[in-house]
Amino acid sequence: MKRVFTYTAIFRTEGNVYVVEFPYFEGIYTFGDSLEEARRMAKEALELVILHYIDQGEELKQEQDFFELQEGEYAERITVTV
């Protein structure tokens, strides 16, 4: 049975690159040369980390809804089905 997961991704630009991080998953970053590519890469990274958690039998809890954003950052909710 497939399950749906949604987590917050924080986007920012560094030079000509869009960097994405997931605050709930410490140390998970990805990037893209365009915003569209960064969103695709974020979805792929989220899917891989969730599959890892599931494979390891680790619990995936619902994240907090509050994240402090720095200047130039914005948040998007990313949804994957695994």
Side-chain angles (χ1 to χ4, degrees):
M1 172 193 283
K2 296 211 176 230
R3 295 170 53 192
V4 176
F5 296 90
T6 302
Y7 288 93
T8 301
I10 306 298
F11 290 76
R12 69 177 177 277
T13 56
E14 290 185 10
N16 294 330
V17 176
Y18 290 85
V19 177
V20 186
E21 68 176 295
F22 288 91
Y24 181 83
F25 299 102
E26 200 170 313
I28 302 300
Y29 294 87
T30 191
F31 66 93
D33 292 329
S34 67
L35 184 55
E36 182 179 306
E37 181 182 30
R39 285 182 178 127
R40 269 196 321 271
M41 298 302 290
K43 192 169 186 171
E44 182 178 313
L46 181 59
E47 185 175 308
L48 290 171
V49 75
I50 288 172
L51 287 172
H52 173 76
Y53 270 66
I54 291 170
D55 287 346
Q56 297 299 311
E58 296 180 35
E59 183 178 359
L60 286 159
K61 297 179 183 176
Q62 186 173 3
E63 70 178 348
Q64 296 178 1
D65 289 332
F66 303 101
F67 298 100
E68 189 173 321
L69 297 176
Q70 304 299 318
E71 186 176 333
E73 294 182 334
Y74 73 96
E76 283 187 26
R77 303 282 283 165
I78 305 291
T79 300
V80 295
T81 302
V82 295

